[in-house]
Every structure is written in C-alpha cells, then in structure tokens.
Amino acid sequence: MTVLLLRLAGPLQSWGSAARFARRTTENAPTKSGVLGLLAAAEGRPRTADLSDLAALRFGVRIDQPGTRLRDFQTAHHQDSGKAMPLSDRFYLADAVFVAGVEGDTGLLNRLHQALRAPRFLPYLGRRSCPPSRPVEMGRPLEDVTLEEALRGAEWQASPWYKRRLQRMAKNEQQSAGPPALDLFLDAPPSQAPHLSLRDTPLSFDPRHRQYGLRGVVTDRTVPPPGDDDHDPTAVLSPAP
C-alpha cells in the first residue's frame, strides 16, 4: 500500500458531517468526505461521478494546530425578489493546521498526487469560502509505509507563531519545549473495535441525492518530528538592558 499526505492550513476551515436546517456546524478535524471531495475536485470529477475508488481509501488525520472555533451569524436576501432568506449560524475553525493522509492503490494515489500539483478545480477547506493558505501538496513523494506510520513520521506543520507560543509556555512552566503530543484519527481496521463512528464516507456527491456511509474511527496520540523551522537563532541572546 502507498500513502499520500496533505497539509490543510488556512485562516478558516469548516468540516461538517451533519447539518441541521440553518445551523451548519464543523467537526474538530477534517472529515473523510471533505478531503475526498477536495481530491475529486482536483482531478476534475463531476459531482455525479463514481466515488467507489476514493471511498475505499483508508483515511486518517493528525491535528497539528487545533485552532479556535468561530461562529458566524449570517443573513441573506434573494437576488431577484429581495426576499429575506432564513437566518443561519455557520461555524468555522480559525487558524487550524492538519496533516491528512489516504492509503491505497499506488496508481490511484499517483494520479491524485499529480492532480494536487495542478488541480482542475481550486481546493478549499470544507467550504468554498475557506481557501488554503499553504500548498495542500506537501512537496514530498508518496510513501510505501502504513498510513499510521506516515502520519506519525510527518514533520510538525504548525505555524511558526503557534510554535513560539508553545515554547514560551513551556519555558514559563520549566518544561521541555519540543513538539507536543498530537491527536490522531484513523479509519478503524476490520480487526479493531472503533472508538467512535462518523457518517462521512462519501457514496455520492450528486446534489440531487447526496449519500454518506458510516465509518469507524480509532484515536491515538503521537509526538511528531519538530521540522526545520523550529530553530530560533536568537534564542541564546539576552534581552537588552
């Protein structure tokens, strides 16, 4: 099996697995349907296309920077009639960073990898109003390891300002300033009982009849490699008197 990793970073993200009328919530991490939808769009697949090959991929995500939850109260009016539309609450994750991965057939993942480098439709992070701030393609080749190994071994992708904040907090508490333990969410293997379930496996993106299947998820934690931008050349300097 082969693994393709993606970096999902942006000012706003929204990964909903359920919608209740005018209330649009978000999960704390990217959903399988949202990430597979991003990959399908990069390939240029229409919404009515067959998704069975994508749905069969094993999916996982690591929370490198959890972000903060943001609530947006929205109003709208019909463009032609001017009639007021229903009020709605939209929830987002602000300043979050994730590493997501898919594991499966090498040929399919090679096509998806190339599509991310030259996407047919521009990627977005759950909603069209949420563009990525950094390349989704991480600039690394496909990996012949398990999905869990790839997510554990990927360098920490958190923003420099967030890393500095954690370093200051660790220094104040006289603790190690290395990367913290990060949450992992992975598709549960058939031999393992899931820790939780989500209905976010896409069966059809057809707007006339969207369909999603249930999947089991297992959770864990991991400490990632620090990455190249953790070195601070001014750390040894003393403040000016």
Side-chain angles (χ1 to χ4, degrees):
M1 287 295 186
T2 307
V3 173
L4 170 64
L5 294 181
L6 303 83
R7 175 177 48 228
L8 306 173
L12 293 177
Q13 305 186 38
S14 186
W15 306 97
S17 61
R20 295 294 183 184
F21 305 103
R23 185 179 177 84
R24 306 287 176 168
T25 60
T26 179
E27 300 292 334
N28 292 330
T31 58
K32 187 171 186 176
S33 59
V35 173
L36 295 188
L38 183 155
L39 293 171
E43 271 201 307
R45 299 193 190 194
R47 289 186 175 272
T48 54
D50 178 34
L51 299 174
S52 58
D53 57 342
L54 295 180
L57 296 172
R58 190 176 183 219
F59 173 72
V61 63
R62 189 182 77 187
I63 302 179
D64 282 34
Q65 183 174 321
T68 56
R69 190 170 293 267
L70 175 69
R71 174 176 176 259
D72 185 26
F73 179 70
Q74 295 187 357
T75 62
H77 289 78
H78 194 281
Q79 181 177 356
D80 296 326
S81 66
K83 182 180 178 180
M85 306 297 287
L87 305 178
S88 64
D89 288 314
R90 307 291 176 106
F91 292 85
Y92 299 88
L93 299 175
D95 294 325
V97 181
F98 306 97
V99 175
V102 287
E103 176 186 16
D105 176 71
T106 302
L108 172 59
L109 293 188
N110 267 314
R111 295 199 309 271
L112 296 175
H113 193 199
Q114 294 304 315
L116 285 177
R117 293 180 171 180
R120 175 66 177 82
F121 299 113
L122 293 178
Y124 51 86
L125 307 179
R127 292 195 188 134
R128 292 177 184 171
S129 59
C130 302
S133 59
R134 298 162 67 184
V136 174
E137 197 276 319
M138 293 179 61
R140 56 193 295 163
L142 301 181
E143 301 183 45
D144 291 322
V145 296
T146 67
L147 177 60
E148 183 172 353
E149 290 171 339
L151 288 173
R152 290 184 184 277
E155 293 182 352
W156 194 22
Q157 298 296 314
S159 303
W161 65 265
Y162 180 75
K163 294 180 179 181
R164 291 193 296 269
R165 174 190 290 179
L166 293 186
Q167 289 169 352
R168 288 195 300 269
M169 292 172 59
K171 184 177 180 180
N172 291 338
E173 297 175 5
Q174 297 182 344
Q175 297 178 353
S176 171
L182 307 177
D183 289 322
L184 279 176
F185 298 87
L186 298 140
D187 282 357
S191 60
Q192 185 174 352
H195 299 153
L196 58 97
S197 298
L198 289 172
R199 188 171 294 279
D200 67 345
T201 299
L203 305 177
S204 173
F205 286 135
D206 189 333
R208 296 169 298 181
H209 186 49
R210 294 185 177 91
Q211 291 180 286
Y212 303 93
L214 198 67
R215 70 180 175 107
V217 179
V218 292
T219 63
D220 203 352
R221 306 199 83 193
T222 185
V223 177
D228 295 333
D229 60 349
D230 285 296
H231 172 62
D232 182 2
T234 67
V236 298
L237 302 179
S238 300

